[in-house]
Each structure stands twice: as structure tokens, then as C-alpha cells.
Amino acid sequence: MKLCIVTHKVAIGDGQGRVNYEVAWEAIRRGHHVTLLASSVDLALQQHSHVDWIAIPVKGYPLQLVREMAFSTKTAWWLNKHQKEFDLIKLNGAITSARGDVNAVHFVHNSWLRSPINLSTQNLGLRGTYQRFYTALNAEWEKKAFDQAKAIVAVSKQVERELLEIGVPPERIRVILNGVDLQEFSPGEAKRQTWGLPDGVALALFAGNAQTPRKNLDTVLRALAQVPELHLVVAGTTTGTTYPQLIASLDLSKRVHFLEHRSDVPELMKAVDLLVFPSRYEPFGLVVIEAMAAGLPVITASTTGAAELVTPESGIVLPNPDDDRALAQALLLLAGDRNLRSQMGQAARAIAQQHSWDKMAQIYVDLFEELMSQGAYAAITQIVKG
């Protein structure tokens, strides 16, 4: 099979890029040839004899929307010339205006546009106008891309529901959950002094870009104020936010520890007791399954796609991400019971072990080969009928 993957990045340190990285390697292991239309590609893949990298540079363009439009135009121009050379083309959302056979959906812009927590619908300024325009354009482009695909992969049941809401036929949707690196994220212990964190206290981790209200750090802080024995470490960018003022008003200065964006989250997870991640809107949420793989109990919300992995034995899923009292009760339960945290962590690890990156990639390539066999059967049938 000659497979073409169109994506911005094919690399380990990127959510969507990691998915395509693993899929590319699985296709290579099965003897398929892979062409990557991407702005950046992992070096080992670049050098592999079964890989062609078609570089699509967009770095110099000023805005994200302009970069995406440039990428879409350049890849569509190339594909229109070479499309017949491939047995199957895999896309991600509205990444290109050219047709693809399989479209993997990590975010549904139409759902985000209608979401009550999308602040761009309330912000009447220039930035809000740009964000609404950006989201609306992507929503329209996605619908066209989905209509052209033979199969559409949803990264969670939540994304599947959102696809159904915009009219995607259910028989064309496959749910393939994102995976996790079980070696990188694994149970263990690490010295808290490495990050200047306190010993002898229960410590929760919030990991994510706190600059966006979507991640919901404000509710976490209000809940934390109701659990006096618990400390919180925030691994995520908070520059330009009002969280320092909120923390001061809640008298939390001694119990909240800001680390900003971290590249050592796998090690950091070995130094904490639980993950708290009640995102207001998250199509999947890799940090949830990463924490589970690290043997941590998880507190999240039903508005996070990865919450479907969390069982009552491995964590707590809140029905309302903004209910700080319910969140405080969940935090209080786990903060005060070391044995319960241990039991939940073991259950979480067992669940994560069923969702490695390798297994995810195998399901993707199984789908590709299934579509290929269906196509070959259809072609033979047409010849026989003719």
C-alpha cells in the first residue's frame, strides 16, 4: 500500500503529530510505503527508506489562520498532481482542501463555535472577532472534508457525538482513542525537592495551558480553597492571567505552586498524588491517560473526551466541570485516603495498559487495509460486471 499522510507535524512531542508518527511507523512495519506532507518530520522517519517527506514550509506567515490556509493550498496543489499515485490518503480535519480517504478528527470546530464557554462569542473586540472568524471558517472547511472521506476517525465518543450532530453518517465513523507511551509514563517515585515542592503533604497536579479558561483552573482553585490539607502544582503557562490575584483572594499562596510549561511532566507525575483536570471542553485530553499510565488517580469531568476511560475504580468523573463543591468533595476524598489513591492508581495503570500507542496505530492501519480490501473487491466486481 502506498499511504500518504497530510499533517503539520510528525513528531513525538505533539498530540496530533504523535498519532501520525505512530501510524507511520506501524505502516512501515507492515511493509507499506509512506509519503508525509508535513512542515516538520521526525529525523528517523525522514531517513527511512520507506518514507518520502514532502516539506510544506509555512513558518514565515504571520497568523495561525494564514499559516493553515497556506498549508492547505500548498498540499492541495501537490496532491492534485500526485493523488493517483496513492492507494490511501489520511487527513486531519480541514488540513487541506484536497480529498482524503480517512479523516482523523481531533477537534470539531462547529461544536466549539456553539459552545457556551467559547469566550470569542462574548468578546466583541478585535481578538474575539478574529477567533470567531477562524472557528467559523474551520467549521465550514471541516464539513466539506468529512463529506469527501470514506471513513472518519473520532478520537473519543465525545467527538463521535459531535460528528453525528453535524450530519456525518454513523456508518462512516470509527472511534479510535489516542494512545499513551507506557514506558515514558509509568508509576514510580521522584524527589519533590527537584521542583521545590513540599514533602509530607497531599499534592495534586493540574497540567495544561492555564491561559485558556477552557482548561478550568479557576474552578480547581475555588475547590482547593475548601480542602485545606491539599497542595496543588500547576504545570502550564499562566503568563498574563489573573490567577495570582484569585489565589491571593482565596488565601492559597502557600498551597499553590506554579511551574509554568514543563517538558518533564512524566517525572513530575511521579512526585504527585493525583491529577485534577476538569476541563470545560476537551475532545480527548492526553494528560488524563498519561496520568493513568503513571499510576495516578484522576479527577476529571464528563466534558473531557478521555473521561470515558476513567472508571469508578480508577478515578472520579464530575458531571459538571464548574461545580467547585463537588470537585472539593472529590479532592477531599482522595487527599485524605492514601490507600484509596494507591488502589485507584493501580486500576488506572491497568486501564492505560490497554491503550498503548502501538495498539492505537495497529487499529488505524487495520482500518486502512480494510478500506484497501474493500476497494479492491469493488474494482474486481466492476470488472466482472463489465
Side-chain angles (χ1 to χ4, degrees):
M1 176 174 63
K2 291 184 177 180
L3 169 67
C4 179
I5 299 177
V6 186
T7 186
H8 293 292
K9 296 181 180 180
V10 186
I12 289 178
D14 180 87
Q16 193 175 108
R18 181 64 184 265
V19 172
N20 288 299
Y21 171 89
E22 299 292 346
V23 169
W25 278 115
E26 177 62 21
I28 292 167
R29 282 192 287 270
R30 299 194 193 187
H32 303 308
H33 191 279
V34 180
T35 296
L36 301 170
L37 267 66
S39 297
S40 63
V41 171
D42 176 80
L43 182 60
L45 280 171
Q46 289 182 37
Q47 298 173 342
H48 200 282
S49 60
H50 283 200
V51 174
D52 291 326
W53 175 31
I54 310 300
I56 310 293
V58 295
K59 191 174 181 179
Y61 295 95
L63 295 171
Q64 180 68 20
L65 176 60
V66 177
R67 289 192 291 272
E68 290 185 4
M69 292 176 69
F71 188 92
S72 174
T73 301
K74 291 180 179 183
T75 52
W77 178 84
W78 192 91
L79 280 171
N80 287 335
K81 292 180 63 177
H82 299 275
Q83 199 150 21
K84 293 182 180 179
E85 300 172 13
F86 300 105
D87 299 305
L88 189 139
I89 298 172
K90 176 187 178 292
L91 308 180
N92 294 281
I95 198 164
T96 182
S97 56
R99 182 192 62 80
D101 301 294
V102 175
N103 197 309
V105 185
H106 296 254
F107 195 95
V108 181
H109 281 83
N110 188 74
S111 296
W112 180 236
L113 186 65
R114 295 183 290 106
S115 172
I117 63 165
N118 182 352
L119 297 184
S120 72
T121 61
Q122 305 167 24
N123 185 349
L124 301 180
L126 183 61
R127 181 175 177 80
T129 300
Y130 165 74
Q131 289 175 337
R132 286 194 301 277
F133 180 66
Y134 172 88
T135 304
L137 274 181
N138 272 282
E140 288 302 313
W141 293 336
E142 283 175 351
K143 288 180 182 179
K144 181 179 178 181
F146 300 156
D147 286 342
Q148 295 175 333
K150 296 176 183 176
I152 299 168
V153 175
V155 299
S156 66
K157 288 286 186 180
Q158 177 173 310
V159 171
E160 180 186 36
R161 290 191 295 270
E162 293 172 355
L163 290 170
L164 292 171
E165 287 173 0
I166 61 173
V168 176
E171 64 271 14
R172 286 202 285 133
I173 301 175
R174 302 286 184 94
V175 177
I176 303 178
L177 302 182
N178 288 334
V180 64
D181 189 323
L182 294 170
Q183 284 69 49
E184 182 181 20
F185 292 91
S186 59
E189 295 184 3
K191 293 183 178 180
R192 292 182 176 180
Q193 292 91 333
T194 303
W195 300 272
L197 300 172
D199 286 321
V201 297
L203 183 60
L205 169 66
F206 174 95
N209 180 9
Q211 289 176 311
T212 169
R214 180 164 66 90
K215 301 295 184 178
N216 203 13
L217 178 56
D218 53 318
T219 299
V220 174
L221 293 173
R222 286 193 294 272
L224 183 68
Q226 304 170 50
V227 189
E229 65 269 33
L230 181 65
H231 285 238
L232 175 72
V233 54
V234 178
T237 304
T238 57
T239 305
T241 67
T242 59
Y243 293 124
Q245 296 93 308
L246 178 59
I247 288 170
S249 69
L250 294 171
D251 195 24
L252 291 174
S253 300
K254 295 181 180 180
R255 293 198 286 126
V256 178
H257 312 275
F258 287 111
L259 298 182
E260 293 300 314
H261 177 74
R262 306 293 306 188
S263 59
D264 57 355
V265 170
E267 280 301 303
L268 178 60
M269 285 184 173
K270 295 177 182 179
V272 302
D273 297 304
L274 62 106
L275 176 81
V276 54
F277 188 73
S279 178
R280 292 183 171 109
Y281 177 76
E282 205 72 37
F284 186 75
L286 277 175
V287 69
V288 172
I289 192 172
E290 288 169 350
M292 294 175 74
L296 294 178
V298 170
I299 300 175
T300 186
S302 58
T303 42
T304 297
E308 65 188 81
L309 292 170
V310 182
T311 64
E313 293 75 28
S314 63
I316 299 171
V317 179
L318 304 172
N320 179 2
D322 293 312
D323 188 342
D324 60 277
R325 290 187 178 182
L327 178 55
Q329 290 175 355
L331 290 170
L332 188 63
L333 175 66
L334 292 185
D337 195 331
R338 184 188 298 268
N339 290 334
L340 179 60
R341 294 199 303 265
S342 177
Q343 293 168 9
M344 282 189 165
Q346 291 175 24
R349 173 69 180 181
I351 292 170
Q353 287 175 320
Q354 303 171 36
H355 297 279
S356 68
W357 284 119
D358 285 346
K359 289 182 179 179
M360 178 217 69
Q362 289 166 13
I363 297 171
Y364 267 99
V365 181
D366 285 347
L367 172 61
F368 299 162
E369 292 176 347
E370 176 188 329
L371 292 172
M372 281 293 301
S373 65
Q374 291 175 357
Y377 176 80
I380 293 171
T381 302
Q382 185 63 34
I383 291 171
V384 172
K385 287 182 178 179

